[in-house]
Amino acid sequence: MTDLAWMSIAELAEKIRERQISPVEAMQACLDRIERLNAGLRAFISVYPEQALAEARAAEAAVMAGGELGPLHGVPLGIKDLFAVRGMVRTCGSRLIDEGPGRADAESVAALRAAGGIVVGLANLHEFAFGPTGINPHFGTARNPWDRTRVCGGSSSGSGCAVAAGLVAGAMGTDTGGSVRIPAALCGIVGLKPTHLRVSQQGIYPLAAEFDTGGPMTRSVGDAALMMQALDPGGGFAGHRARPSLDGIRIGVLECLFDEGVDSDIDRLTRAAIGILDDLGAETEILDLPFAAEATAAWNTIALGRTYAIHGERAEAPDSKLAPSVRDRVLIGRDISAADIEKALAVRQSVQAQISDPLRRFDALALPTVPIPAADAEDGQGELNGAPVDGAAVLGRLARLASFTGQPAISVPTGLTKKGLPAGLQLIGDWNRDEALLEIAACFEVASGWAARRPPAEDGQ
C-alpha cells in the first residue's frame, strides 16, 4: 500500500490497465493514507470516500469489460476547493459561502473525469485563493510535508501538500499570480501554469479573469503532461517524453529578477540548476527585462482592482468574516479606479509585445520560482539571508511575470536548502508552446536526480 502512495500517475494508470492493480485497491490505499495523515497535514478540507469508492468500482468494471480506457483511468486526484465539483461542497477556503453540493463539474474537472480520473476530495487553500502563503484560519493551514512548522505556499496549498505527501498522485490548482508554482516549489513537486485560457476557467471561483488559470500539480513532469492530455485532449500532450538532451535549445536567464532580494540558498540552487541546463547542451544567456518592474506593478493594479470588485463588500462589512490578512489585502483595491485598470491593461499589451522579441530568440526563460524558502506556518514570516521578511509580501514576486503575460510557466524541483526545504526552478515558455516547455522541463528533471526524493518519514508516511 505504501508503494501505491508513491506511484506516478503514469505507472498507476498502466498497472490498472494491465489489471495488476484494481482501481478499488488504489482508491482504498489513498483513502487510508488520507485518514491517517490529513488531520496533521490539513491538505484536504473535505473528502468523499463513499463517492470515490463508488467511482472506483465503476472504473474496475470498465477495466474488466475491456473497453477503451483514458490516460487517468482509476487514478485518485485532489481538486482545489475553488472548482465546482459534482456532489461536493465548495467552500473556497472561506466561511462566507454556502453553496451546497455541486450540481455539475467545472469543465476542467469534467475533462479529468472523462479521462478516467477519480476525485477524492477538495484541497485546502488560502481563503478565496488570495494569498501566497496558504495560511487559513478557517480550516487550518496546510502543513509542509518537509517541515510541518512551515507553510506549503499559496494559494493552492492543499493541492501541493497532498501530492508531496503521497495522499494523491496528482491534483488541480489555480494560478493567478503564482498559486500553482509557489506551492509546487515549496513542497518539492512539479506545478504547471498553462498558457492562459488553454484550460477552461468555467466553474472556477473567479479572482482576476485576466490571469486565472487552472493547472496540474504532480510529482513529475510526465504526470503533468498526462493531466494536460486530459485537460486539453487536442493539445499535443499525448506521447510526451523528455528530450534526450537540450542541444539546440536556448534559454534566457532572468538574472535581473534574482540578482538581489533572493535568499542565498535559493540563489545557489538556481545557479546549480542553470549549470545542469548548460551540461545538457542548452545555450544559456543572461537576459535583461527592463519592463519587469512595470509588469509587476500593473499586475498588482489589475489583480487588486478585480478582487475588490468581487470581495469588497465582504471586506467592508463591520463584522467581516474574511481572514484579517485577506481583508486587509482586498481593501488595498478600494481606491483603484476603472481608469487605473485600463492603464494597467494597456501596460499588459505593451509588455506582451516587448517580451515577444526575446521569445523569438529563446526557447524558455529561467529564474527561481520563489525568492525565499517556505515561511512559518503560524505567522507567515520568512527568512531572507538570516533577516525576517513577510512571506506574504515576497513569495509571489518572481511568479507574477508569467501570470501577467499569460505565458506557460512550470516549476520543477531543484533540491533542498541547508535547512532541508525544497526550492524550484521556474521555466517560462512561449504562448501555446506548453508541450515544448514540458519537454525541456522533463529533460532537466531527469538530470537533476530529484525523482526519488521524498519528505521525511513522519506519522507513518
Side-chain angles (χ1 to χ4, degrees):
M1 292 300 185
T2 300
D3 290 339
L4 282 178
W6 296 112
M7 278 188 186
S8 66
I9 291 176
E11 184 180 9
L12 185 56
E14 181 180 5
K15 289 185 179 298
I16 286 172
R17 283 192 297 270
E18 294 179 352
R19 304 185 186 182
Q20 296 178 20
I21 294 174
S22 157
V24 176
E25 178 186 14
M27 181 56 68
Q28 191 61 62
C30 168
L31 292 171
D32 289 347
R33 190 168 174 83
I34 291 172
E35 184 177 12
R36 187 168 73 251
L37 297 176
N38 193 57
L41 291 171
R42 299 303 305 149
F44 284 96
I45 288 177
S46 59
V47 181
Y48 294 81
E50 292 183 6
Q51 183 174 332
L53 282 169
E55 292 184 23
R57 287 190 288 270
E60 183 173 10
V63 172
M64 300 309 292
E68 185 175 347
L69 306 177
L72 307 177
H73 192 84
V75 175
L77 300 173
I79 302 293
K80 184 178 184 177
D81 193 344
L82 201 69
F83 291 77
V85 181
R86 185 182 71 249
M88 300 185 183
V89 178
R90 178 169 66 176
T91 71
C92 299
S94 179
R95 300 291 186 182
L96 291 176
I97 64 172
D98 183 14
E99 297 181 331
R103 296 184 178 182
D105 289 327
E107 287 182 356
S108 52
V109 175
L112 294 172
R113 286 195 200 271
I118 302 175
V119 180
V120 175
L122 301 180
N124 206 343
L125 68 158
H126 207 111
E127 184 178 20
F128 287 115
F130 199 41
T133 64
I135 291 177
N136 188 315
H138 305 298
F139 293 96
T141 297
R143 299 289 175 147
N144 196 310
W146 293 87
D147 179 346
R148 294 193 186 192
T149 70
R150 307 292 184 123
V151 298
C152 293
S155 63
S156 307
S157 54
S159 296
C161 178
V163 173
L167 304 187
V168 288
M172 280 296 287
T174 63
D175 193 311
T176 301
S179 289
V180 160
R181 290 162 287 152
I182 295 166
L186 298 186
C187 291
I189 64 170
V190 172
L192 172 68
K193 182 198 82 67
T195 296
H196 186 240
L197 298 182
R198 189 147 185 182
V199 173
S200 171
Q201 291 180 328
Q202 188 277 331
I204 301 174
Y205 201 95
L207 193 62
E210 289 85 357
F211 312 132
D212 293 346
T213 306
M217 303 176 72
T218 60
R219 289 191 293 272
S220 73
V221 177
D223 281 357
L226 277 175
M227 289 186 68
M228 283 302 297
Q229 184 182 338
L231 293 163
D232 184 10
F237 295 97
H240 162 85
R241 60 181 179 177
R243 296 175 58 96
S245 75
L246 295 183
D247 291 344
I249 295 296
R250 300 196 67 201
I251 295 177
V253 179
L254 301 185
E255 197 170 278
C256 59
L257 298 182
F258 67 96
D259 57 359
E260 60 181 32
V262 171
D263 185 79
S264 59
D265 258 0
I266 303 291
D267 183 84
R268 171 180 59 82
L269 291 166
T270 302
R271 294 184 189 280
I274 292 166
I276 291 174
L277 296 174
D278 285 326
D279 292 342
L280 288 167
E283 182 181 345
T284 60
E285 178 183 328
I286 295 173
L287 175 65
D288 185 31
L289 294 183
F291 48 80
E294 185 181 24
T296 299
W299 179 93
N300 279 323
T301 297
I302 297 167
L304 291 169
R306 298 299 192 210
T307 303
Y308 183 80
I310 296 169
H311 297 296
E313 187 174 338
R314 291 175 173 134
E316 299 280 7
D319 60 345
S320 177
K321 300 296 191 298
L322 285 171
S325 63
V326 174
R327 178 177 183 269
D328 291 345
R329 198 170 179 212
V330 169
L331 290 175
I332 296 173
R334 178 168 43 196
D335 298 325
I336 294 174
S337 68
D340 293 331
I341 291 176
E342 286 303 314
K343 289 179 183 177
L345 289 171
V347 171
R348 185 177 185 231
Q349 288 185 317
S350 173
V351 168
Q352 287 171 329
Q354 291 178 75
I355 207 168
S356 294
D357 178 59
L359 289 175
R360 282 190 285 270
R361 296 187 291 122
F362 295 101
D363 299 284
L365 311 178
L367 71 164
T369 308
V370 291
I372 61 170
D376 186 272
E378 298 300 330
D379 60 13
Q381 290 298 297
E383 190 174 284
L384 177 59
N385 297 327
V389 293
D390 180 7
V394 302
L395 276 170
R397 180 171 67 85
L398 301 177
R400 288 173 184 157
L401 176 64
S403 293
F404 187 66
T405 62
Q407 295 166 250
I410 191 168
S411 180
V412 190
T414 54
L416 299 175
T417 67
K418 293 174 183 176
K419 292 185 178 180
L421 297 171
L425 174 70
Q426 183 179 185
L427 295 169
I428 302 174
D430 199 355
W431 292 278
N432 292 311
R433 298 205 67 221
D434 306 46
E435 310 92 317
L437 182 66
L438 287 176
E439 290 177 0
I440 295 170
C443 185
F444 168 81
E445 177 184 61
V446 171
S448 73
W450 176 265
R453 303 296 293 267
R454 300 283 181 267
E458 189 173 358
D459 292 347
Q461 283 190 21

